[in-house]
Amino acid sequence: MPKLLIRNARLARPDGSIIEGDLLCHDGVIERIAAQISISADETLDAGGNLLLPGVIDPQVHFREPGREYKEDLGSGSRAAIKGGVTSFLEMPNTDPSTSNQAALDDKLRRAAEKCVANYGFFIGATPDNLDEVNRAGPACGIKIFMGASTGSLLVDKAEDLERIFANGSRLIAVHAEDEARIRARREQFKDRTDVAVHSDIRDNQSALLATELALALSRKYRRRLHILHLSTHEEVELLRRDKPAWVTAEVIPNHLLLNVNDYARLGALAQMNPPIRRPEDNAALWAGLHDGVIDFIATDHAPHTLEEKRKPYPQSPAGMPGVETSLPLMLTEMKAGRCTLAEIQKWMCHGPAAAYGIRNKGKILEGWDADLTLVDMVHARPVRNEEMFTRVRWSPFNGRKLIGWPIYTIVGGQVAFDRGKIRDGVRGRPLSFT
Ligand code: DOR
């Protein structure tokens, strides 16, 4: 394997301190870190004093392959990831067909090996009757349960079906926690409203809280490893702060930190997602939850739909926003504004998700760890521009927002995958394994 030398970088240490120096990648791992490394490598990058971070691990994306490749596929989604400094992703099973058996998982793995520029892992989706498959199919990072219906056909909303899944097996269960019965009742109740802001009233805070309470109760009853996806309400943060078993983790999406119901006026259905954007007090509670560790890490829930689809009148407009390409610059911009530290960014976006999913040797810049890295520009602010997006749908809810921290180079397994604005040909990610 070729040697890649990165010179003159400001290297982020896991504790948030920074050292100036060089880093040598060999055989896909970080072989050496030193103030100066004088060897002749196969390729040498001048980091120009920019900040070198561990590659981001995005533990929740929807890349639409197979079935909806006109929105995204594993190639375009992984290129968008790499552009955003995301070197590994975990992808959701609500494709078409859904990833709910070994054959569908094998198919995704085969497709990913052909075209993914980033490292990849996949969830297996639960249905009311695939208990054996969700426990056996592999490799998978966990079982995904949609407790409330969202994009696609996966849904497990009956208490007895949920209980059967929690009671049998030991694999991580990740829940989309929204209460389907309450959502259906409220959809009926609000049926005369067609403004998109009603989305947050229909799928209200209580809908999320009810499902999160049920998942927590089942997890406690069976001591089952539980991950709560995209926490969105202050009520859920308070619930977990009172009572979070050691085997439970939770995540938050930048959209739920940085957008709220006031943004519907500006963004319309572009801001429609499940669970929905909430109120400013929920934004504040989610930040507080991240800071005090109630929320363990950040995912994007990258969920591309075309602008044409998003322009349909509510409720035909689909839920979800792209995000994999902007999460790191968004969070680094927040860091520069003083809302978090470099140690927190790495915990929330790099080694936190790695630890939760048992992904070894990723998420820290340490000798012997995997050479998944991103070099970011912390000096020049540039706006998000729809026309520059790599996601196939080519839009972002943050279009126009000026951000710092855009990647200059992204390195996957010691190979330069993103090179000053362009994806290099021929680089491929690897399948992740989960311990
Ligand atoms: O808004 C969402 N969109 N939430 C989900 O849970 C699914 C996602 C999608 O796949 O479109």
Side-chain angles (χ1 to χ4, degrees):
M1 271 281 263
K3 290 190 177 187
L4 172 71
L5 178 61
I6 303 171
R7 307 198 68 161
N8 186 24
R10 295 170 66 237
L11 297 135
R13 308 304 308 244
D15 67 0
S17 63
I18 289 175
I19 55 164
E20 291 182 12
D22 301 350
L23 180 149
L24 180 67
C25 310
H26 185 209
D27 262 350
V29 303
I30 300 168
E31 188 173 86
R32 242 175 95 204
I33 299 169
Q36 200 166 11
I37 301 175
S38 309
I39 63 146
S40 70
D42 299 276
E43 179 170 4
T44 301
L45 300 180
D46 181 1
N50 286 297
L51 179 64
L52 189 67
L53 297 172
V56 169
I57 299 176
D58 188 337
Q60 194 195 165
V61 301
H62 302 268
F63 281 168
R64 310 300 189 205
E65 180 173 357
R68 298 286 183 279
E69 288 89 344
Y70 69 93
K71 298 181 205 252
E72 197 82 283
D73 69 18
L74 290 161
S76 63
S78 66
R79 290 191 293 273
I82 288 296
K83 183 191 168 206
V86 174
T87 49
S88 299
F89 65 82
L90 303 180
E91 206 259 353
M92 284 296 166
N94 59 331
T95 43
D96 185 13
S98 50
T99 319
S100 49
N101 56 45
Q102 185 68 56
L105 181 61
D106 286 342
D107 178 50
K108 255 191 192 175
L109 285 161
R110 204 164 34 240
R111 291 164 179 266
E114 263 171 40
K115 52 175 99 164
C116 268
V117 194
N119 305 310
Y120 47 88
F122 298 107
F123 283 88
I124 186 97
T127 70
D129 49 24
N130 71 341
L131 185 62
D132 281 353
E133 293 278 4
V134 290
N135 284 323
R136 263 209 322 262
C141 51
I143 300 169
K144 165 73 179 276
I145 304 181
F146 281 92
M147 297 173 73
S150 192
T151 303
S153 57
L154 289 170
L155 177 66
V156 183
D157 62 336
K158 303 278 173 295
E160 61 272 23
D161 293 333
L162 289 165
E163 179 130 14
R164 192 162 9 87
I165 300 170
F166 275 83
N168 295 284
S170 56
R171 192 171 250 185
L172 177 149
I173 294 175
V175 289
H176 177 123
E178 288 189 282
D179 186 82
E180 182 65 16
R182 183 176 172 92
I183 292 169
R184 283 190 191 164
R186 290 177 71 80
R187 196 173 284 137
E188 184 57 26
Q189 188 184 332
F190 288 99
K191 66 175 184 300
D192 297 333
R193 270 180 63 190
T194 53
D195 62 302
V196 66
V198 76
H199 192 66
S200 293
D201 293 323
I202 294 171
R203 307 177 82 111
D204 66 344
N205 287 30
Q206 189 65 18
S207 304
L209 180 64
L210 282 174
T212 294
E213 281 174 343
L214 175 57
L216 263 180
L218 289 170
S219 163
R220 175 163 295 98
K221 183 168 174 187
Y222 297 103
R223 289 199 139 242
R224 184 69 186 260
R225 172 83 177 92
L226 170 67
H227 176 64
I228 304 163
L229 299 159
H230 40 45
L231 216 68
S232 62
T233 69
H234 71 92
E235 290 92 336
E236 290 166 288
V237 174
E238 284 148 22
L239 170 69
L240 288 176
R241 188 170 285 126
R242 283 196 304 275
D243 175 21
K244 186 182 172 211
W247 59 88
V248 174
T249 52
E251 76 185 23
V252 65
I253 309 297
N255 299 341
H256 290 125
L257 295 170
L258 302 173
L259 301 175
N260 58 57
V261 289
N262 299 323
D263 291 299
Y264 281 127
R266 191 170 53 87
L267 294 171
L270 296 184
Q272 181 188 339
M273 71 173 290
N274 300 329
I277 53 170
R278 307 289 187 188
R279 296 194 184 83
E281 60 262 35
D282 297 296
N283 299 144
L286 293 163
W287 274 107
L290 262 178
H291 283 302
D292 63 20
V294 169
I295 302 175
D296 298 87
F297 53 83
I298 291 176
T300 67
D301 195 12
H302 176 83
H305 298 284
T306 65
L307 282 172
E308 196 183 351
E309 291 167 326
K310 282 291 203 177
R311 281 191 202 107
K312 291 182 183 170
Y314 186 84
Q316 284 108 58
S317 49
M321 309 179 219
V324 73
E325 198 165 336
T326 46
S327 58
L328 182 61
L330 279 169
M331 292 307 295
L332 288 172
T333 303
E334 296 299 306
M335 181 183 92
K336 192 146 187 184
R339 292 187 88 174
C340 56
T341 66
L342 187 56
E344 287 173 323
I345 294 271
Q346 294 180 83
K347 172 168 174 260
W348 299 340
M349 305 187 80
C350 307
H351 60 87
Y357 284 98
I359 303 167
R360 293 186 57 219
N361 289 341
K362 289 197 190 293
K364 294 183 183 176
I365 297 184
L366 291 175
E367 288 177 358
W369 283 48
D370 290 354
D372 296 335
L373 302 159
T374 187
L375 184 79
V376 297
D377 177 355
M378 295 299 290
V379 177
H380 302 99
R382 274 199 295 118
V384 178
R385 286 201 186 96
N386 283 349
E387 57 276 21
E388 291 175 4
M389 302 294 286
F390 280 22
T391 171
R392 186 157 287 158
V393 298
R394 302 196 80 194
W395 65 273
S396 161
F398 298 103
N399 183 42
R401 194 186 278 227
K402 266 196 160 182
L403 304 178
I404 51 118
W406 291 100
I408 306 165
Y409 292 107
T410 302
I411 289 131
V412 178
Q415 315 164 83
V416 181
F418 181 72
D419 178 353
R420 293 163 296 173
K422 291 202 169 59
I423 299 289
R424 279 201 195 168
D425 286 341
V427 176
R428 289 293 172 270
R430 297 177 53 80
L432 297 167
S433 34
F434 312 99
T435 53

